[in-house]
Amino acid sequence: MTPRRSLPKLVAALAVGVVVALAGASAAHADTVRDYQYWLADYGFTTAWNTSKGKGVTVAVIDTGVNGNVAELRGVVKGGTDVSGLGSADGQTPVGDDNTHGTMVASLLAGRGTGSGNGVIGVAPEADLLTVSVAFGTDTGATKSNDDQIAEAVRWAVDNGADVINMSLTRNTPDWPESWDDAFMYAFEHDVVVVAAAGNRGSGTSEVGAPATIPGVLAVAGVDRDKNASFDASSQGITLAVAAPSEDLVGVQPDGSYVVWDGTSGAAPLVSGLVALIRSEYPELDAANVIQRLIETADPHGHEVPSPLYGWGIFDPVPSLTATVEPVTENPLGSLEEWITLHRRADAPVTTDPAEEQEIVPIADPPPPLDVDAQTLLPTPWTLAYITLPLSLVAGFGTLAALLGIGAARHTRRTARKHEL
């Protein structure tokens, strides 16, 4: 997690995009938190709630664990487990170095505020949650490998009634182990919508990694406050489905304090929440048609779709719940079963070397931008590409032209003198 600042510096910090912690949980602080949940009004969730709030839908959060005792999540978490061997049996004891992650994700998805219109409210405030705590990374002391934890977590979520699974995590590679084939196929066969974050360029994930690369998974990219692809708090790839806000996101930490942060780890639960609204309003739709409704009503934002930055566009809650959408007979995001048939051939060698296992991590926050004053002094990738380099070329050609002009003038003068002599 990046450096944070206390509540009095909130406005200034947000202006430069720095991750911020809101100390305490008083009513005044809670009012401030609700005020900063811009996506509720800007994206039409407050209007969409007239149609659906996610009632009757269960979303599993596979992450570092969700503390269901914080005010916004009290009574929201209906069950849980720990697959790491480090947490509590109910999955509500956050584990790992970044153990605030799961609770923050859950609050964006299904937080119910703190009463009287205060506190964080999720985009699906009437949905129920399941929590599966996972210990990410290496040397965590977990009793199972990263890959095995995820496979077990997905199966547990399906067996315990999940309609949607949120995964704000990445393997940092487009590939995934064969154990995930069976686990994700199990989810798809049981009509579960799986949502995964794309990752963040600012934390080193320039291209989408698994599970967001798995056919059939709903991969989520991130946009800034102006609805443009976020430079740091998003990634890119051909498997993207939709984009959602990934900057200046307000969430709850396990100790009940509030935090503002950037990342597709926050964009994913916003999309999972919208999926919950759709499943609640259209209980007869299978997962393929829920996804079709989501991507068909997404806003292309002036781009050709599907786009490697936006997928089918920026999600749009109101039309996703009210528009007429033609049904489909298969998942528009692809078929894992067909992929397995093509790529997991019976004669392919099986890799069992533990050293080749990829580290799985929650989607890390991108680093905060440089101080505003420092930004005016140091070049950025954008200024290098679009200002510094072009100016250098112009200056170079200008210098060359000047030298040629000087040489030509001297030659002309010499010629004139000879004629005079």
Side-chain angles (χ1 to χ4, degrees):
M1 186 65 63
T2 47
R4 302 167 182 174
R5 298 180 182 176
S6 58
L7 181 61
K9 297 183 180 179
L10 175 61
V11 176
L14 282 175
V16 297
V18 176
V19 175
V20 183
L22 310 183
S26 67
H29 292 172
D31 283 333
T32 302
V33 167
R34 184 67 63 84
D35 291 341
Y36 279 103
Q37 290 190 265
Y38 66 89
W39 54 92
L40 298 180
D42 290 359
Y43 284 80
F45 276 105
T46 51
T47 301
W49 289 342
N50 293 324
T51 303
S52 172
K53 289 187 175 181
K55 187 175 183 178
V57 177
T58 300
V59 184
V61 177
I62 298 177
D63 213 290
T64 60
V66 176
N67 181 4
N69 291 317
V70 298
E72 281 88 346
L73 296 173
R74 199 164 294 137
V76 179
V77 180
K78 301 299 184 180
T81 192
D82 171 70
V83 296
S84 70
L86 302 176
S88 57
D90 62 2
Q92 294 194 44
T93 301
V95 298
D97 294 334
D98 190 9
N99 58 20
T100 63
H101 198 264
T103 304
M104 292 158 53
V105 166
S107 64
L108 278 173
L109 200 165
R112 295 182 183 174
T114 57
S116 303
N118 300 325
V120 173
I121 186 167
V123 295
E126 293 184 359
D128 295 326
L129 296 182
L130 299 173
T131 172
V132 186
S133 55
V134 177
F136 298 110
T138 58
D139 300 324
T140 61
T143 58
K144 306 179 187 72
S145 71
N146 283 200
D147 290 341
D148 288 346
Q149 287 181 67
I150 296 301
E152 182 179 342
V154 170
R155 283 183 167 274
W156 184 94
V158 174
D159 288 340
N160 285 271
D163 303 297
V164 186
I165 294 176
N166 185 88
M167 306 181 77
S168 293
L169 55 92
T170 181
R171 202 167 183 262
N172 280 327
T173 170
D175 303 319
W176 60 92
E178 288 194 40
S179 61
W180 287 19
D181 290 353
D182 293 336
F184 282 79
M185 276 300 303
Y186 191 66
F188 298 148
E189 289 167 353
H190 285 79
D191 201 40
V192 177
V193 177
V194 180
V195 180
N200 308 316
R201 294 183 193 87
S203 57
T205 306
S206 59
E207 295 185 0
V208 177
T213 54
I214 296 176
V217 169
L218 207 164
V220 181
V223 294
D224 61 21
R225 294 287 290 266
D226 295 322
K227 298 187 177 182
N228 295 316
S230 177
F231 185 83
D232 282 331
S234 189
S235 187
Q236 65 188 56
I238 61 174
T239 61
L240 292 177
V242 292
S246 65
E247 297 189 11
D248 300 339
L249 303 174
V250 185
V252 181
Q253 300 190 97
D255 63 1
S257 63
Y258 300 106
V259 64
V260 178
W261 92 102
D262 298 342
T264 53
S265 57
L270 297 183
V271 172
S272 292
L274 180 53
V275 171
L277 301 189
I278 297 172
R279 300 217 83 162
S280 178
E281 178 64 13
Y282 299 95
E284 75 283 359
L285 291 184
D286 61 11
N289 279 284
V290 169
I291 293 172
Q292 175 68 8
R293 175 166 284 276
L294 179 71
I295 66 175
E296 184 68 19
T297 57
D299 177 8
H301 197 53
H303 296 266
E304 292 187 7
V305 296
S307 159
L309 291 177
Y310 301 91
W312 271 261
I314 302 170
F315 75 161
D316 202 345
V318 172
S320 71
L321 292 171
T322 59
T324 299
V325 177
E326 291 296 318
V328 294
T329 58
E330 57 187 21
N331 190 327
L333 302 178
S335 167
L336 176 57
E337 184 176 15
E338 291 181 3
W339 186 94
I340 292 171
T341 300
L342 291 172
H343 297 279
R344 304 288 197 202
R345 298 180 180 179
D347 57 351
V350 178
T351 300
T352 58
D353 184 359
E356 295 187 13
E357 181 187 330
Q358 296 292 327
E359 178 182 351
I360 301 168
V361 294
I363 302 294
D365 300 333
L370 296 169
D371 181 79
V372 173
D373 294 332
Q375 286 182 334
T376 63
L377 300 175
L378 299 176
T380 66
W382 189 90
T383 58
L384 285 172
Y386 297 103
I387 297 177
T388 306
L389 181 58
L391 287 177
S392 299
L393 292 173
V394 170
F397 283 117
T399 301
L400 179 61
L403 291 173
L404 291 174
I406 292 170
R410 289 177 176 174
H411 177 73
T412 301
R413 285 197 297 270
R414 289 171 183 167
T415 303
R417 287 173 184 168
K418 290 179 180 180
H419 286 302
E420 289 174 358
L421 295 174

